[in-house]
Amino acid sequence: MSRSHQTLSFSAAEWALYAECYDALTHIRPYQELVRAVHELVPKTASNILDVGCGTGTLLSSLSDTHPNSQLTGIDPTTAMLEQARRKLQNRAELIKTTTAEAPEQFREAFDVVISCNVLYATPNPEAFLSQIRNFLVPGGVCIIATPKKGFDNGLIAKAHCNDSRADDYWLDPHSSPERERHLVTEAFGTGTLSQAMINVAYFNRKIAATTQFHFLLESELETLFQRTALGITNMSLTYAKQTHLIKSHRKETA
């Protein structure tokens, strides 16, 4: 699950370093919650599943266990992320370097489930992105989107990971200074390798944010966006320490 759709000034060398530390997220309890929540929305009968922005292949790897009879495909625009995914998946999924806008023609109406986690908010045009995803779905196919909410705060994710009882204010805005970031990361993740990896992830996320316009959306804004792209919402909830919208929708047929 990669964070960005297009980051043109984020170099290949930086992507390689980011890919090396990205899987630190898999050790965080709220991230594990997100993966479980996505799994619960994937139909057991799914035959062709596409992960858009598959990153290092974490979700596809777990889907290969829970849906062994499904054809799995992942796309991502980043070579370093896909290299990590290939090592992790060992040919259990087809992995293609592309974006939704540049995806091959055979993707049209090819999938009964399309999943995309932490990509919508980083796309230049969220409406165009969802329209492209709709085109990948068979009629009635299922679309599952996870995207950070407006007001998303990493500090509350750290708080949830360590199950801390202090008020939210203690954890809010963890990246306001390097000193505060390191203090709160240490509070939540200790002083070992996970803590350093999380500091590295935060560093690269800031660099990506400097090259990309993020779209943190309200529930009402998402409802409007899905309606305009002919995707009917069947379920919307919060996951990832209540910092991320999780939406299950289906392809509607237009008149």
Side-chain angles (χ1 to χ4, degrees), residues 8-38:
L8 299 180
S9 60
F10 197 69
S11 72
E14 289 171 319
W15 271 117
L17 292 170
Y18 186 41
E20 287 180 7
C21 64
Y22 190 82
D23 275 353
L25 293 172
T26 65
H27 299 286
I28 299 175
R29 293 186 183 94
Y31 188 90
Q32 295 165 359
E33 169 202 346
L34 167 61
V35 172
R36 288 194 300 270
V38 170

Side-chain angles (χ1 to χ4, degrees), residues 10-249:
F10 197 69
S11 72
E14 289 171 319
W15 271 117
L17 292 170
Y18 186 41
E20 287 180 7
C21 64
Y22 190 82
D23 275 353
L25 293 172
T26 65
H27 299 286
I28 299 175
R29 293 186 183 94
Y31 188 90
Q32 295 165 359
E33 169 202 346
L34 167 61
V35 172
R36 288 194 300 270
V38 170
H39 268 275
E40 290 174 0
L41 297 180
V42 179
K44 300 294 185 186
T45 57
S47 58
N48 288 284
I49 303 173
L50 172 65
D51 184 0
V52 173
C54 65
T56 61
T58 295
L59 181 59
L60 286 171
S61 181
S62 57
L63 283 170
S64 72
D65 294 328
T66 59
H67 292 71
N69 297 319
S70 299
Q71 175 65 46
L72 303 178
T73 305
I75 64 172
D76 200 281
T78 309
T79 299
M81 290 288 189
L82 289 176
E83 287 175 353
Q84 292 279 2
R86 288 190 178 96
R87 285 193 286 270
K88 186 181 298 180
L89 286 158
Q90 295 293 308
N91 299 318
R92 288 176 288 164
E94 182 180 9
L95 300 173
I96 302 170
K97 182 182 177 182
T98 188
T99 65
T100 54
E102 299 169 345
E105 179 61 29
Q106 58 262 35
F107 272 30
R108 186 172 183 85
E109 296 190 353
F111 303 95
D112 50 355
V113 178
V114 176
I115 304 168
S116 186
C117 296
N118 294 339
V119 178
L120 175 70
Y121 81 114
T123 61
N125 186 332
E127 184 172 345
F129 177 76
L130 284 181
S131 293
Q132 290 151 4
I133 282 181
R134 182 188 177 279
N135 288 338
F136 299 158
L137 288 168
V138 300
V142 172
C143 171
I144 300 169
I145 298 288
T147 191
K149 71 175 186 178
K150 193 163 189 174
F152 176 93
D153 197 288
N154 278 311
L156 297 181
I157 294 168
K159 175 185 177 180
H161 171 78
C162 63
N163 197 28
D164 190 78
S165 60
R166 285 170 288 194
D168 287 353
D169 286 349
Y170 179 84
W171 294 93
L172 293 174
D173 199 14
H175 309 302
S176 57
S177 71
E179 296 77 18
R180 177 165 176 75
E181 179 180 280
R182 185 167 290 276
H183 170 71
L184 291 180
V185 166
T186 301
E187 284 273 291
F189 307 109
T191 58
T193 56
L194 177 58
S195 180
Q196 185 57 54
M198 292 307 300
I199 290 172
N200 292 342
V201 168
Y203 166 78
F204 287 117
N205 283 345
R206 283 194 295 275
K207 295 208 74 172
I208 291 173
T211 68
T212 304
Q213 180 184 359
F214 286 161
H215 305 273
F216 297 98
L217 301 175
L218 297 169
E219 181 176 325
S220 58
E221 293 172 317
L222 285 165
E223 288 173 346
T224 299
L225 188 60
F226 275 69
Q227 182 179 16
R228 286 162 60 176
T229 52
L231 289 167
I233 294 176
T234 55
N235 182 275
M236 185 184 297
S237 60
L238 290 173
T239 186
Y240 205 21
K242 297 184 178 180
Q243 298 305 295
T244 293
H245 295 290
L246 181 60
I247 306 115
K248 181 178 182 179
S249 65

